[in-house]
Amino acid sequence: MGANTSQVSDLSDNPSLRTLVGTESISENDPFWNQLISFTFISPTSSGDSKLLEEAVIPLAKILIENNPRSGNFGALVRIFLGRTKELKVSTECQDQLFIWQAHNALFMIRCLLKVFIREMSEEELHLQFSYQERAPGSCAETGSEDLLEELLSNLIHLIVEVPLLDITYSILFEAVTTLLVFFSYQLFNKDILRDGLIYQHIMKGRCLSLTSRLVKTLLYNFIRQEKCPPPATHIFEQKAEGGLLYGLASGVASGLWSVFTLGGAGNKAGVDQEHNPLPLSNQSLLLLLVLANLTDGPDWPNPYRQAITCFRNTQDTSSMSAEQPHTFQINFNSLYTALCEQQRSDQATLLLYTLLHQNANMRTYMLSRTDMDNLVLPILEILYHVENRNSHHVYMALIILLILTEDDAFNRSVHEVELKNITWYTERTLTEISLGSLLILVVIRTIQFNMTRTRDKYLHTNCLAALANMSAQFRCLHQYAAQRIISLFALLSKKHNKVLEQATQSLRGRQGDDTALPDYAQDLNVIEEVIRMMLEIINSCLSNSLHHNPNLVYALLYKRELFEQFRTHPSFQDIMQNLDTVIGFFSQRLELAGSDLSVERVQEVIIKGAQALPTDRLKKFPELKFKYVEEDQPEDFFIPYVWSLVFNAGVGLHWSPHGIELFSMDSG
């Protein structure tokens, strides 16, 4: 770009770049390449900066697309990078920062060009861009014998799994992970889910297959380590009195852009970016892991990356590896659990937690055995508490995680044994001391109420109620406020039921002799009666299984006993109302015998003694409430658009999609 280049808009006028994209072939032995990849530009990691850079690269990339069949310069650039990757591990051991820096720059240029290539052409046309070779003027175009595209993919994975994560390698590892994400970004330009393709074939079946478990393990450890961007090693770019290559850095591609875009740590802009995305490698590694895990299975082979995620084991597991699980590996579960607990603010970390809980039996068993489950559950509850500030997918993932956890009876018992103090993010009421189980109930009920007034999503209702139902038989020592909120929710449902019932009745009276379909609120009545039935079953389950452990729920039930009168003779609720009638009648009688004008403390005393005296055979037994999460309940291919919406919004720089991006927006259904 020349020494005076200081604006992104100047990229198109840079003589070195004009030579690269021009019609003349450049030999791989030409000193030009050393000059080209000796620049001080370091990868932007914010979405805004990435977009500015990519928009500046577009005109250059389009010229290269036109000229590359004659020059083969793109393939030459790829081979220059591949030649350096063979020595990267040794260079790291020798602290050869200059070598690593140049390899990074070559890969950075390849990644920027690839983004435009993928936007402008099909996979078959992209493959041809890798195949064009340097040739003499006037000769016919030839394709090389090696598959340069597969060679690059394979080398990127080798780089990620073999080069250790150090300050001097952070940038090139970030670029390698990001470049793989770019290769998969064809999905962003297609409305339909891609189930095959050249890149897909290489990653799933080619030379990359043998590295499956190592790649998944490395990406997980990148997430676990949460390494921040190191400050750039600015001494590499200082002028040297003795001259040579370092002295000539000003003639590199973007020396003047050092203060405009940095990976972190230098100048004001770097500081802003560091605050915006302080963990780019960790975040990018997690996104790549989720993309790999959600690639669709082939017609004759399963997704090996999903296999690796579903079967990896704890490092403390000494049992022999199963031959039926070819991609299994071991990882430190404690470190992974800690990282998951700390990172639930992001959609992608919550999606990883869901994936592991749902698909990896080893990890699920480990999580459920932890005695500090509050470290994991509290961040999930905080997501739900701030539901109005979260996208719907993030809320769904949090709810599904709770549903999976509540399938375990030991979890349902243990959450009531964990005492919490001063939950600062719960602002509706001061909770100086409350059990984790009671807090969970409060947050789920709040989510139901929010959904009733705002989104009215039946799927969200179903998951909330299923989690409460799974827990109900193990409710223990419910906090007074939690018991009140259970009954308050029933009161809200009762009020809504009466309103809809009145509307339906008036409509039927006015539509006598009219054969047209009933209006929507008649369907609403069926839905709300299903919800009321579920709430009654939840209350009944608690009373039938642990009445003597929950005096606060009995107190709240008696205080609002009139709510249940209208449902006693309702055909949909008569059976379930028998137990509630028995409990209400039994305790009402004991309170009458205790006298009038009873204090709250005296009422609670009567309830506690009465709970011990109530014969258990007085309450009718109903089938145990148990709901399991089934992934098939999700819309078809739900997770692929969801993952790519995260990639699109994460600042990777995939900003162009005139046809398909609406499929991947965060608000899509």
Side-chain angles (χ1 to χ4, degrees), residues 496-651:
K496 189 174 182 65
H497 177 268
N498 292 339
K499 181 179 179 181
V500 175
L501 181 61
E502 182 180 354
Q503 290 174 333
T505 302
Q506 291 176 352
S507 176
L508 286 171
R509 288 172 181 167
R511 298 169 67 89
Q512 291 181 357
D514 190 344
D515 295 332
T516 57
L518 290 174
D520 288 343
Y521 56 73
Q523 298 177 10
D524 290 345
L525 185 63
N526 292 330
V527 172
I528 198 168
E529 287 186 353
E530 289 178 8
V531 176
I532 288 175
R533 170 79 189 192
M534 179 70 79
M535 282 302 301
L536 288 172
E537 289 181 341
I538 289 169
I539 295 170
N540 176 70
S541 176
C542 176
L543 297 177
S544 300
N545 292 281
S546 54
L547 182 145
H548 58 291
H549 288 299
N550 292 289
N552 286 330
L553 181 61
V554 176
Y555 183 96
L557 189 67
L558 293 172
Y559 189 73
K560 294 287 186 178
R561 71 189 80 177
E562 71 280 356
L563 288 173
F564 302 91
E565 293 289 338
Q566 61 179 307
F567 300 109
R568 181 174 290 114
T569 58
H570 194 292
S572 298
F573 312 121
Q574 277 183 320
D575 59 336
I576 203 74
M577 280 299 302
Q578 292 178 20
N579 281 350
L580 271 68
D581 280 341
T582 299
V583 171
I584 291 173
F586 177 82
F587 284 98
S588 296
Q589 185 179 23
R590 294 183 74 90
L591 288 174
E592 289 175 6
L593 293 174
S596 59
D597 298 326
L598 300 177
S599 66
V600 173
E601 292 76 11
R602 176 59 180 149
V603 172
Q604 289 177 332
E605 182 183 338
V606 171
I607 290 173
I608 291 171
K609 291 182 178 179
Q612 297 171 349
L614 178 64
T616 56
D617 58 1
R618 291 273 300 274
L619 299 180
K620 179 182 176 182
K621 292 296 182 182
F622 286 84
E624 183 181 7
L625 292 177
K626 271 299 173 186
F627 295 87
K628 291 182 69 69
Y629 167 69
V630 180
E631 190 171 75
E632 287 71 23
D633 291 342
Q634 293 283 4
E636 184 180 8
D637 292 323
F638 167 86
F639 291 100
I640 298 174
Y642 180 31
V643 169
W644 276 106
S645 71
L646 300 181
V647 175
F648 182 80
N649 286 280

Side-chain angles (χ1 to χ4, degrees), residues 63 88 125 182 354 383 421 423 478 561 573 647 663:
I63 296 172
L88 269 177
E125 293 169 325
V182 169
Y354 157 78
I383 293 169
K421 294 185 178 180
I423 308 300
L478 290 183
R561 71 189 80 177
F573 312 121
V647 175
L663 178 65

Side-chain angles (χ1 to χ4, degrees), residues 344-347 350 383 390-398:
Q344 289 306 304
R345 293 180 302 276
S346 72
D347 284 74
T350 304
I383 293 169
R390 303 288 182 178
N391 69 75
S392 59
H393 295 335
H394 201 182
V395 173
Y396 282 145
M397 287 298 99

